[in-house]
Amino acid sequence: MRSTLLSAAAILSAMTAPAAAEQGDWLVRLRGIMVAPNEDSGAVLPAFPTGTVSVDDAIVPELDFTYFVTNNIGVELILATSPHDVSGEDALAPLGEIVDAMVLPPTLTLQYHFAPDAAIRPYVGAGINYTIFYSEDAKPALTDAIGATSVSMDDSFGWAVQAGFDIPISDRVFFNADVKYIDIDTTATLTTGALVNEVDVDIDPFVFGIGVGMRF
């Protein structure tokens, strides 16, 4: 009788325990993320040699897809786009916000999942990023100060690292928390008539995210 009860308990436990991600599985996550630039700006040249810029934070949704190559190794594609305001600093600080832009930074990482069948499933990853800047516009504070200005920002290619963990909620649904550091560098060009100013900015954001996912 004891042996029968133990066997039944083992079967029930196996039926109710959240299944581990395995080779061939897909994980799809929806996160809320905060993109927090860790920027380093050069001067706005040639007109403002003592002026620099800063880039504000953004909170947006993010969608990502992970494919398990083995039980421990996954490949993740991260998709999100975020709006950012660029403000003048130092000599340009009185102007406040001078430019806004949209940023699309698709990122591909190779991950190692340490314990894919545990109650808490940590992972680390590293990979590459290609960032596209679009919808760049000069704000009224800038155009009022120097005249009608067009803005363009160079796209960026760089590296990325991440760490995070999944916690199973059910057989297929799980909670996720994740942090990334993404290497993003750009040159912004501001054209005002015949005058062309440029500023180099290392944006290099930390991206903090929490959300839920589903295993397929």
Side-chain angles (χ1 to χ4, degrees), residues 27-182:
L27 304 183
V28 180
R29 301 182 183 90
L30 178 64
R31 300 186 183 108
I33 61 171
M34 182 175 74
V35 182
N38 183 40
E39 76 275 2
D40 181 19
S41 168
V44 182
L45 299 174
F48 305 99
T50 58
T52 60
V53 299
S54 62
V55 184
D56 76 342
D57 298 347
I59 297 176
V60 296
E62 178 207 74
L63 185 65
D64 71 75
F65 304 88
T66 301
Y67 177 74
F68 275 77
V69 181
T70 71
N71 289 0
N72 295 95
I73 297 175
V75 179
E76 182 179 81
L77 177 63
I78 302 155
L79 301 172
T81 188
S82 56
H84 294 274
D85 292 321
V86 179
S87 297
E89 300 292 343
D90 299 315
L92 293 174
L95 296 182
E97 295 177 356
I98 57 175
V99 169
D100 58 28
M102 296 294 295
V103 181
L104 175 64
T107 303
L108 185 68
T109 61
L110 182 67
Q111 301 174 332
Y112 185 80
H113 293 254
F114 295 94
D117 57 352
I120 299 177
R121 303 172 179 180
Y123 60 86
V124 294
I128 56 175
N129 159 265
Y130 186 79
T131 298
I132 301 165
F133 295 88
Y134 65 100
S135 296
E136 308 100 315
D137 288 305
K139 284 185 167 283
L142 181 63
T143 57
D144 290 348
I146 66 174
T149 300
S150 64
V151 181
S152 65
M153 302 175 74
D154 293 343
D155 294 344
S156 170
F157 181 81
W159 51 272
V161 292
Q162 71 178 149
F165 60 86
D166 297 317
I167 298 177
I169 298 171
S170 69
D171 184 52
R172 293 192 176 275
V173 179
F174 56 90
F175 169 82
N176 173 261
D178 183 275
V179 61
K180 307 176 189 70
Y181 178 84
I182 304 176

